Amino acid sequence: MQEHFHFTTDQTKIQKQYAALFFFVSAQLSQIQFYLQRRNRHLTKQEDAVIIAIHLLGKLLGFSSERAWHRFVEGNLFTDGQF
């Protein structure tokens, strides 16, 4: 049976947590960016730091379903459809 996740944390608190994670990840990623040999970088739709920060936040908040986490992110973090 599929579990439904009921979230009770304030939306602004989650956005602050995301911002803190994003700044940390982007600072760390900028140090190793030179060593990454990535092709097709011109085709990316999201920055690597955004994807990593979103994934880390989902794990910290305890989401086990990627689909539920994606719906939550679109509804609470990227409400203007940028994700």
Side-chain angles (χ1 to χ4, degrees):
M1 183 178 224
Q2 188 177 11
E3 295 181 14
H4 295 284
F5 189 78
H6 297 285
F7 204 75
T8 57
T9 304
D10 187 25
Q11 184 176 1
T12 56
K13 183 179 177 183
I14 295 169
Q15 290 174 345
K16 287 179 184 178
Q17 288 175 338
Y18 167 71
L21 269 173
F22 175 75
F23 288 125
F24 175 76
V25 168
S26 63
Q28 298 299 318
L29 198 59
S30 67
Q31 293 177 1
I32 64 168
Q33 197 79 6
F34 178 75
Y35 301 107
L36 297 177
Q37 300 293 328
R38 293 198 47 206
R39 291 180 264 169
N40 300 334
R41 188 173 287 268
H42 64 284
L43 298 175
T44 59
K45 295 183 181 181
Q46 272 305 344
E47 295 181 37
D48 293 339
V50 172
I51 300 297
I52 294 169
I54 289 292
H55 185 75
L56 287 175
L57 185 61
K59 294 301 177 188
L60 288 174
L61 293 176
F63 279 87
S64 59
S65 167
E66 291 292 326
R67 186 178 202 174
W69 175 239
H70 186 263
R71 282 194 306 254
F72 180 82
V73 166
E74 284 184 336
N76 293 301
L77 289 177
F78 294 96
T79 55
D80 54 358
Q82 291 181 346
F83 189 67

